[in-house]
Amino acid sequence: MTISAGRLSHPAVRALVTALNSNDEQAFYDALTTGATMSDDGLDRDLRQWCDREIFATRGHLDVQSESDHGLSLVANYRNDTWGEMRTRWRFTVEDGKVSRFETGQA
């Protein structure tokens, strides 16, 4: 069963996932703190380069399957035009109502 982005329990995560699924680059970056960081499969990446390549240039989309840790951890089917669909995990750190870090990787 998929959880729609609008029904995710944590407001900062909800804003980020909604923007990602809408391919709304401005809203996505607005949902992040200045200096936000991320990692993919345990390796820190340049956030803007990674997001441009893995989300915005390739129409990335998250179909959330479950959430835990008060909405800060997700398991989702992630798809984009480069890699197709894969089961992924997402972990978010939130500061002052915005995402300051996210970690993703295959689940």
Side-chain angles (χ1 to χ4, degrees), residues 30-106:
D30 286 349
L32 296 168
T33 63
T34 301
T37 61
M38 62 85 54
S39 70
D40 182 10
D41 284 328
L43 298 172
D44 278 7
R45 307 286 186 175
D46 178 281
L47 186 139
R48 285 214 179 242
Q49 287 178 2
W50 187 91
C51 291
D52 288 346
R53 182 181 65 249
E54 300 292 338
I55 298 172
F56 300 111
T58 58
R59 295 184 302 167
H61 189 88
L62 271 175
D63 288 321
V64 178
Q65 303 301 304
S66 65
E67 63 177 347
S68 59
D69 193 24
H70 306 287
L72 295 174
S73 293
L74 306 177
V75 173
N77 292 332
Y78 183 75
R79 68 179 182 274
N80 68 25
D81 291 345
T82 300
W83 304 110
E85 185 170 289
M86 67 189 81
R87 191 164 181 82
T88 56
R89 59 171 171 69
W90 296 75
R91 172 86 180 127
F92 300 91
T93 304
V94 174
E95 295 176 12
D96 299 324
K98 292 187 175 196
V99 174
S100 61
R101 180 171 177 82
F102 66 89
E103 300 167 2
T104 187
Q106 292 192 42

